[in-house]
Amino acid sequence: RCDRCRKNSGVEEMKIEKFVTGIISTNCYLVINEETKQTVIIDPAASPAYLMNHLKSEGLKVEAIFLTHGHFDHMMGLDGFLKEYDVPVYEEDEEVLQDPRLNLSATYTEGYVFTKAETVQDGEILSFAGYEFRVIHTPGHTKGGCCYYVEAENVIFSGDTLFQASVGRTDFPNSSMSDLMHSIREKLLILPDETKVYPGHMGETTIGYEKQNNPFI
């Protein structure tokens, strides 16, 4: 399923398309520069044929893949994408990516690890598709979870850190509720209220809405 989430009217127009894929209905986002067709993929849970065909039929030029964290339901589509696109993969959750117990693939599948990702750091800027994505380290759901913030567009991809009226689970190995709440309060809620939040599951929200309505906050 694809949802067209947002379209800006700037010179270099950003379009965000959401595809819900994988066995736990994960949001995979395509961040597209409408002018150049350059594209960043965020959290490829799977690589179904309809999504791969969409990339080709739209002439999208994939430049990079970003992972918000290493759980299996956010990265098991990597092999399928990398067969078609020789692009870098960025993450901050190396330990989880490379351990089938920590990334939960041993529980839900036959087990999967990924060892070819490039590790990013808190505050690092990734420049792709004409946009600057700032890495925000948000441990809690996993030890190395992160979000990607595009300040110029008032957009953040929050993975499983912050959801609409909810927060990420912390009953997994390597999880911490205290760390998660610190990440949300000290790193996400300081963003402008109008910042649009694109989470790893369920629907979109804004920072302002979560300040007023999220029961965990």
Side-chain angles (χ1 to χ4, degrees), residues 23-195:
I23 64 175
I24 306 186
S25 298
T26 303
N27 295 335
C28 173
Y29 295 104
L30 307 183
V31 183
I32 304 164
N33 184 316
E34 289 239 86
E35 183 179 354
T36 66
K37 299 295 185 180
Q38 294 167 296
T39 300
V40 171
I41 298 170
I42 298 177
D43 285 350
S47 55
Y50 67 85
L51 175 50
M52 306 307 288
N53 291 337
H54 175 75
L55 289 166
K56 293 179 181 178
S57 65
E58 294 296 315
L60 301 181
K61 304 170 184 176
V62 178
E63 291 195 326
I65 298 173
F66 298 169
L67 304 179
T68 59
H69 63 291
H71 280 160
F72 82 101
D73 59 314
H74 290 254
M75 55 82 166
M76 283 193 68
L78 283 171
D79 290 347
F81 282 100
L82 295 176
K83 285 180 182 178
E84 297 291 333
Y85 304 99
D86 182 17
V87 298
V89 177
Y90 295 95
E91 53 78 31
E92 199 185 358
D93 213 10
E94 183 177 8
E95 181 182 7
V96 174
L97 271 177
Q98 299 184 14
D99 186 327
R101 181 184 66 87
L102 292 179
N103 67 39
L104 308 178
S105 63
T107 301
Y108 291 90
T109 74
E110 295 180 355
Y112 178 81
V113 299
F114 188 77
T115 61
K116 300 177 182 178
E118 299 184 28
T119 303
V120 294
Q121 297 180 346
D122 186 40
E124 185 171 346
I125 301 295
L126 301 174
S127 296
F128 288 98
Y131 307 107
E132 291 189 344
F133 299 80
R134 176 157 62 89
V135 178
I136 301 177
H137 178 53
T138 53
H141 181 65
T142 64
K143 189 176 181 179
C146 69
C147 302
Y148 297 95
Y149 177 46
V150 187
E151 183 175 4
E153 299 289 324
N154 287 322
V155 164
I156 190 165
F157 298 92
S158 64
D160 288 3
T161 296
L162 179 64
F163 297 125
Q164 184 184 74
S166 188
V167 299
R169 288 176 60 176
T170 56
D171 56 339
F172 298 128
N174 224 359
S175 297
S176 166
M177 177 58 82
S178 61
D179 287 350
L180 181 71
M181 296 313 300
H182 181 270
S183 294
I184 293 171
R185 291 190 176 112
E186 301 299 321
K187 296 190 175 184
L188 299 189
L189 297 187
I190 64 172
L191 300 176
D193 284 355
E194 63 270 20
T195 302

